[in-house]
Amino acid sequence: MELWNHTSLSGFILLGLFSYSTYDLFLFSLVLLASAVALLGNSLFLLLIQANRHLHTPMYFFLSQLSIMDLIMMSSVVPKMAVNLLSGSKSISRGACATQIFLVVMVTGAECFLLAVMAYDRYAAVCHPLRYPVLMNWKACSLLTVASWMVGVSDSVIDVGVVFSFPYCGSLEVDHFFCEVPALLRLSCADTSLFEDLIYACCVLMLLLPLVVIVASYTRVLTAVIRMPSTEGKQKALTTCSSHLAVVSLYYGGAMFSYMQRASSRTPVRDRATSIFYTILTPMLNPLIYSLRNREITRALRKMLDRWGVPACLPF
């Protein structure tokens, strides 16, 4: 018991994603580049929404929350990974490890429900345009957003509390580039099978319930779009919805591959690969997906560039 108490109070060693070979340093440079693009893209997206009053609508309010989630996800993982590689130190304190788990789990859970809220918003806008200002007033938008965040916070508090209640008396080397729950549970001296089964059931529930809302909402949206007499209306609705569906596909593609697996079928290599997808690639791609073919965003960007005196050499 003394050994358990002693080792459980110490920190962990993150084995990381890269070594110091030329090839790995090149991959690390690509990761840093993708992170910089994600940081710039999401920050610019937030700035455009805040600065342009025409973008003060429920849809862009939810998009701003998505950008905040992406920034939190990326900033909770990439800086520590970069510091460890560049400094040669691979250690991480229990506090920092708990913080990473809390932020990653919180954002993952909150984003899942936010995507369902965004799908319902598009359903209300397309299928009930006259009632839309009532259905999606600012009070409703705020409550739905807070509820999404609270689901993520509740899930992360439980995960952090339970994970750090287990003893860690063996190797403290985490075969990952950040503290992820499955990677830590592999190091525990106790039997974690019950908790792992509960995590699996919780992940399935948290992924499938919002997915039902998303599928139901877009089934109704597509039905309404097909019946639209206006070609321009159809194109606008399909452009907006296709962007959201692309983001949903990115999120659920990574989330289902990462979280809807039994512990016995998980491997460290597969966990690292999927983690790169949802911690770095998805935050980089989300603002690009919502900006491309979005005339409101491109107009707002052009106005901002004109205001700053920057030549707007952009194809819009």
Side-chain angles (χ1 to χ4, degrees):
M1 182 65 70
E2 290 180 1
L3 177 62
W4 284 8
N5 290 336
H6 173 73
T7 54
S8 64
L9 291 174
S10 62
F12 296 94
I13 304 297
L14 294 176
L15 296 184
L17 189 63
F18 307 107
S19 62
Y20 292 93
S21 67
T22 304
Y23 177 72
D24 278 352
L25 289 176
F26 173 71
L27 291 179
F28 175 68
S29 300
L30 292 181
V31 168
L32 286 186
L33 178 61
S35 302
V37 172
L39 176 63
L40 179 62
N42 284 289
S43 299
L44 181 60
F45 204 76
L46 286 171
L47 183 61
L48 286 174
I49 293 173
Q50 181 64 31
N52 195 304
R53 61 183 180 85
H54 296 294
L55 301 181
H56 294 176
T57 62
M59 184 180 79
Y60 288 105
F61 172 70
F62 294 135
L63 286 177
S64 69
Q65 297 300 305
L66 184 64
S67 287
I68 291 171
M69 292 176 183
D70 286 341
L71 288 172
I72 293 174
M73 174 69 79
M74 187 191 64
S75 60
S76 65
V77 173
V78 175
K80 182 61 179 175
M81 178 178 66
V83 167
N84 281 5
L85 180 68
L86 296 176
S87 67
S89 171
K90 297 185 177 183
S91 63
I92 183 170
S93 67
R94 280 174 58 88
C97 189
T99 301
Q100 281 192 336
I101 292 176
F102 177 84
L103 292 175
V104 170
V105 173
M106 177 188 69
V107 169
T108 303
E111 187 170 337
C112 186
F113 283 85
L114 182 69
L115 291 174
V117 170
M118 293 169 68
Y120 174 76
D121 172 67
R122 290 300 85 205
Y123 158 75
V126 174
C127 299
H128 301 284
L130 297 180
R131 296 176 56 202
Y132 180 71
V134 178
L135 292 173
M136 299 304 293
N137 57 56
W138 285 111
K139 182 179 180 180
C141 292
S142 300
L143 288 175
L144 289 170
T145 302
V146 170
S148 298
W149 280 104
M150 290 309 298
V151 168
V153 169
S154 302
D155 189 26
S156 60
V157 168
I158 294 171
D159 279 1
V160 170
V162 176
V163 166
F164 284 93
S165 70
F166 290 123
Y168 296 92
C169 57
S171 170
L172 298 179
E173 293 184 344
V174 181
D175 194 0
H176 215 304
F177 60 92
F178 71 98
C179 285
E180 192 177 41
V181 172
L184 282 182
L185 293 180
R186 294 190 191 105
L187 307 180
S188 177
C189 308
D191 181 11
T192 62
S193 57
L194 176 60
F195 181 56
E196 289 173 352
D197 289 340
L198 289 175
I199 288 179
Y200 175 77
C202 181
C203 288
V204 170
L205 189 66
M206 289 183 65
L207 287 172
L208 292 187
L209 281 180
L211 185 61
V212 169
V213 175
I214 292 169
V215 171
S217 297
Y218 277 107
T219 300
R220 296 293 298 273
V221 166
L222 291 176
T223 302
V225 168
I226 292 172
R227 295 174 180 172
M228 284 182 178
S230 169
T231 304
E232 183 179 353
K234 284 184 179 181
Q235 184 177 3
K236 184 177 180 181
L238 287 174
T239 298
T240 303
C241 294
S242 62
S243 298
H244 184 229
L245 287 173
V247 170
V248 168
S249 300
L250 276 176
Y251 174 84
Y252 273 91
M256 286 186 170
F257 193 78
S258 179
Y259 293 107
M260 292 182 66
Q261 294 186 77
R262 292 284 185 179
S264 57
S265 63
R266 304 179 71 103
T267 64
V269 174
R270 187 181 299 173
D271 284 350
R272 289 196 299 269
T274 54
S275 296
I276 279 285
F277 186 81
Y278 70 79
T279 60
I280 298 173
L281 293 182
T282 299
M284 178 189 73
L285 293 174
N286 281 349
L288 297 178
I289 291 171
Y290 277 113
S291 299
L292 295 174
R293 298 172 60 194
N294 187 321
R295 294 180 181 179
E296 292 175 324
I297 290 293
T298 52
R299 284 197 205 101
L301 179 58
R302 182 169 58 185
K303 287 181 180 179
M304 178 177 289
L305 293 176
D306 290 342
R307 195 180 305 127
W308 292 349
V310 179
C313 301
L314 297 171
F316 51 81

